[in-house]
Amino acid sequence: MLKILENPLYYLDNFQGVLSWINARYADLLSVEETQFITEFGQLPQPSRALFVRLVMRKGCLFRASKLNYPEIGDTRAAALPLLASGWVVADPAISLAELFDLLLKAEISQAFSLTAPLKAARKAEQLDALREQHAHDQAFSDWYPASADVLYRIGMQPLCDRLRLIYFGNYHQDWSEFVLSDLGVYQYEKVEFSPQSRGFRTRQDIEHYEVLHQCRERYNDSAPADEVLQDLAALPLPLDNTWLASRREKLRFQIAQQLEKSQDWPAAYRAYADCRYPGARGRAIRVLEKDAQPQVAYDRLVIALAAPESEAEQQLLLRMAPRLRRTLGHAKQVAEAQGAIDRIDLLLPYQSEASYVEAVVQQHLSHSDAPVYYVENTLINSLFGLLCWPAIFKAIPGAFFHPFHRGPADLHSADFYLRRQDDFAACLAQLDNGAYQAAIRATLAAKHGIVSPFVSWDVLDDALLDLALACIPAAHLKKAFERILLDIKSNRSGLPDLIQFWPGERRYRMIEVKGPGDRLQDNQLRWIAYCAEHAMPVSVCYLQWQAAA
């Protein structure tokens, strides 16, 4: 059950807490404007501070005084006076016709512009189009709507507050709602002991570079020309030792290259991939050369890449391209290595409704009282890994945690994530060798239940499933699965089979990937299946077909 927040000024306390946290840890990185704001905010009367935070946390920057009704603040017009005096809020600002239409009700629009039939009955969008040409200039709210006694406010400090939020969280996707959701018990976060010196940004330049990267992403999402965004990214002078910001830049480059490839702009896509250091870019660059009818150049680069593939995913892509390129170039056909047979289940079942998931249909068909089947997909193995390796995952090392609302370490997808914690993970996995792993997993489950984790799915991992998994999956199989996750966390957390079946009487199990009519195995699924087969971990692929209707 959700808690009820007893403090009506909880949002003000949270905001003030963020400012104090930033001032204690980032004072040397703050601009004069930011430092002055933090100082002056604390000197405002409490109602004014509360109103300001309410405005900051609401959507947009324009607010009608008549809509600002907060019992804990009282008279919001009086509370606004110190904000107006400081210039943080402006009264009666000049606004456009479109902004006015967002603020007014339809009846108010009719009154403000003395609309008559049939325009009075038209939709707001039609009214706006009809009035746009004769009202092209901005003007004050009171001039647009002189009959109204209302006052319009514009908050002018939103960019600064957004920047402070960025400094606190280290990103733009977390916002003030994190505090409320945590206070209500919706999310619980691991309490990590980190020093006051633990910071997401080390220099002011880090903050500025992050903002430039964010603006580049926003521009690209708003359909800015790809070449312009790529030029801006290339011109950004990121320090060589800041792998975190460099990774963000390379990820955006990779996404732009993907879009250029989809649009079949082969030369531009190749240049973007070739300049990119994001995982997978090298393989995609070679694939683009193949698509662009440059087989010799593609093959030469493929041979070099195959000598030292960066990942299983790249190796898989290269091995798929190699026979095609060799055939195109007229090379002698190479004998493919024999692949181990994958256990196959073929089912022909009565047709279910379109709303039925094929996984659920197969689960129900295969499940028996002495051999239950669970739909787990990626959740079970990841959850067991997350529980066993909790101490290593949440170890407080520099750069991993720098505020109380981390869902996981900030460097989770960094290339050196495992290396920085190698001894800690080794200690966790060693419990799979000495038999201590079951007690360790159960202890973490009891102590950490409900705390947000990048691996554990609390809503799936109930007592019955946990008991069966620990009884039926050998420790050696769990260790192989966990080792593969650690090899490439970003890629290998997904692709695991849909179902798992247990035979508790025989203390054995099998994983089952389900494919409905016309469906095929995805690349990450193929890699997991091949890995399981290599290490004698029982896995089957079930192909479901519907019986023809009578």
Side-chain angles (χ1 to χ4, degrees):
M1 178 180 292
L2 295 180
K3 297 185 295 184
I4 298 176
L5 298 180
E6 297 179 356
N7 177 14
L9 292 170
Y10 64 90
Y11 56 91
L12 175 58
D13 290 349
N14 291 336
F15 188 84
Q16 188 71 66
V18 168
L19 297 187
S20 299
W21 181 284
I22 292 173
N23 201 39
R25 287 167 171 78
Y26 294 95
D28 59 312
L29 307 190
L30 299 179
S31 68
V32 173
E33 182 187 22
E34 291 158 356
T35 301
Q36 184 177 352
F37 170 81
I38 292 174
T39 301
E40 293 180 359
F41 181 82
Q43 298 170 351
L44 289 172
Q46 184 187 77
S48 300
R49 284 184 281 127
L51 178 61
F52 180 84
V53 176
R54 282 289 194 184
L55 298 183
V56 166
M57 294 183 178
R58 287 180 58 162
K59 184 179 179 180
C61 60
L62 294 171
F63 307 97
R64 297 177 65 173
S66 61
K67 306 295 184 182
L68 301 176
N69 300 308
Y70 302 108
E72 77 279 6
I73 295 177
D75 185 350
T76 53
R77 294 201 184 196
L81 294 177
L83 302 177
L84 296 172
S86 68
W88 293 0
V89 173
V90 176
D92 201 23
I95 59 174
S96 68
L97 181 68
E99 289 174 319
L100 180 71
F101 265 65
D102 288 337
L103 294 166
L104 299 185
L105 299 173
K106 191 175 177 182
E108 292 175 314
I109 293 172
S110 295
Q111 182 184 22
F113 293 95
S114 303
L115 299 183
T116 58
L119 188 57
K120 185 176 182 179
R123 294 179 301 167
K124 282 182 71 174
E126 295 171 341
Q127 293 173 340
L128 176 59
D129 288 339
L131 296 170
R132 197 187 302 273
E133 185 174 345
Q134 63 189 92
H135 298 285
H137 300 292
D138 295 358
Q139 56 182 341
F141 177 81
S142 58
D143 292 331
W144 283 117
Y145 194 14
S148 174
D150 209 349
V151 176
L152 183 68
Y153 299 128
R154 183 193 295 275
I155 183 170
M157 303 296 286
Q158 191 68 56
L160 183 144
C161 292
D162 286 342
R163 190 161 60 251
L164 292 174
R165 177 167 59 87
L166 167 64
I167 294 171
Y168 180 80
F169 286 113
N171 61 68
Y172 272 124
H173 63 262
Q174 287 181 284
D175 57 29
W176 309 111
S177 64
E178 296 282 358
F179 293 89
V180 181
L181 295 174
S182 178
D183 291 341
L184 289 172
V186 177
Y187 294 127
Q188 303 174 56
Y189 298 92
E190 176 70 325
K191 291 179 172 59
V192 178
E193 295 295 333
F194 47 86
S195 68
Q197 290 73 36
S198 295
R199 311 197 294 186
F201 299 103
R202 298 167 302 175
T203 66
R204 183 68 193 188
Q205 195 174 47
D206 284 349
I207 301 171
E208 294 167 355
H209 285 161
Y210 188 103
E211 290 195 292
V212 172
L213 288 173
H214 180 72
Q215 291 162 8
C216 285
R217 178 173 293 281
E218 293 294 297
R219 285 169 49 214
Y220 180 68
N221 291 340
D222 291 337
S223 302
D227 58 338
E228 293 182 7
V229 179
L230 288 170
Q231 287 176 10
D232 291 343
L233 290 174
L236 189 61
L238 293 182
L240 295 176
D241 62 339
N242 196 322
T243 56
W244 171 56
L245 283 175
S247 177
R248 290 188 62 87
R249 176 174 64 182
E250 299 311 305
K251 182 177 181 180
L252 180 54
R253 274 179 168 166
F254 185 79
Q255 292 170 336
I256 295 174
Q258 284 181 306
Q259 188 58 46
L260 291 169
E261 182 181 356
K262 288 178 182 178
S263 63
Q264 299 186 8
D265 188 345
W266 310 130
Y270 175 76
R271 288 193 300 271
Y273 281 131
D275 291 338
C276 182
R277 299 297 175 265
Y278 194 73
R282 181 174 65 168
R284 294 314 310 173
I286 297 171
R287 178 69 177 118
V288 166
L289 288 172
E290 182 188 18
K291 291 180 178 181
D292 196 25
Q294 300 185 56
Q296 187 61 62
V297 181
Y299 187 73
D300 292 344
R301 283 163 173 71
L302 180 142
V303 171
I304 296 172
L306 267 179
E310 67 179 24
S311 65
E312 289 180 345
E314 185 187 63
Q315 185 179 40
Q316 183 183 43
L317 174 64
L318 298 174
L319 290 176
R320 186 176 292 142
M321 280 191 284
R324 294 196 304 265
L325 290 170
R326 290 180 61 85
R327 187 166 56 249
T328 301
L329 294 170
H331 293 185
K333 185 176 181 180
Q334 291 182 327
V335 178
E337 293 183 11
Q339 299 291 325
I342 298 173
D343 184 60
R344 177 176 177 133
I345 303 172
D346 288 289
L347 293 181
L348 186 64
L349 299 178
Y351 176 74
Q352 302 277 345
S353 68
E354 293 290 344
S356 298
Y357 293 103
V358 293
E359 296 87 356
V361 173
V362 173
Q363 177 188 7
Q364 183 178 16
H365 179 79
L366 295 179
S367 189
H368 301 283
S369 59
D370 59 345
V373 179
Y374 287 80
Y375 175 61
V376 294
E377 199 170 10
N378 301 309
T379 58
L380 176 59
I381 297 299
N382 276 294
S383 293
L384 295 175
F385 169 80
L387 291 172
L388 182 65
C389 298
W390 193 284
I393 294 167
F394 286 98
K395 183 177 182 180
I397 62 178
F401 302 96
F402 42 86
H403 62 74
F405 299 95
H406 280 284
R407 291 169 167 80
D411 63 337
L412 182 64
H413 293 153
S414 298
D416 60 350
F417 172 78
Y418 170 68
L419 294 175
R420 298 178 71 196
R421 303 162 175 84
Q422 189 168 1
D423 292 342
D424 301 279
F425 278 113
C428 293
L429 297 186
Q431 298 174 94
L432 291 161
D433 299 325
N434 61 27
Y437 71 99
Q438 295 196 14
I441 287 174
R442 293 185 187 279
T444 303
L445 179 69
K448 305 296 184 180
H449 191 276
I451 294 177
V452 176
S453 162
F455 296 99
V456 182
S457 301
W458 300 110
D459 56 336
V460 173
L461 196 65
D462 59 23
D463 291 339
L465 176 58
L466 179 65
D467 289 344
L468 286 169
L470 294 180
C472 297
I473 304 177
H477 290 186
L478 289 176
K479 188 171 185 179
K480 285 299 179 184
F482 297 169
E483 287 173 345
R484 185 168 191 271
I485 291 173
L486 280 172
L487 190 64
D488 185 349
I489 288 175
K490 187 175 187 298
S491 298
N492 295 342
R493 278 198 295 174
S494 63
L496 285 150
D498 300 307
L499 308 177
I500 189 166
Q501 185 167 26
F502 300 105
W503 285 269
E506 304 170 38
R507 299 179 71 84
R508 68 183 179 92
Y509 76 105
R510 69 171 171 180
M511 294 176 285
I512 306 166
E513 179 62 41
V514 179
K515 291 299 165 188
D519 198 3
R520 64 180 181 85
L521 291 168
Q522 303 300 310
D523 285 348
N524 59 348
Q525 296 168 345
L526 286 167
R527 295 194 295 271
W528 260 112
I529 290 171
Y531 183 85
C532 290
E534 179 185 355
H535 296 285
M537 300 162 66
V539 63
S540 303
V541 180
C542 178
Y543 292 93
L544 172 65
Q545 297 294 329
W546 303 120
Q547 291 176 350

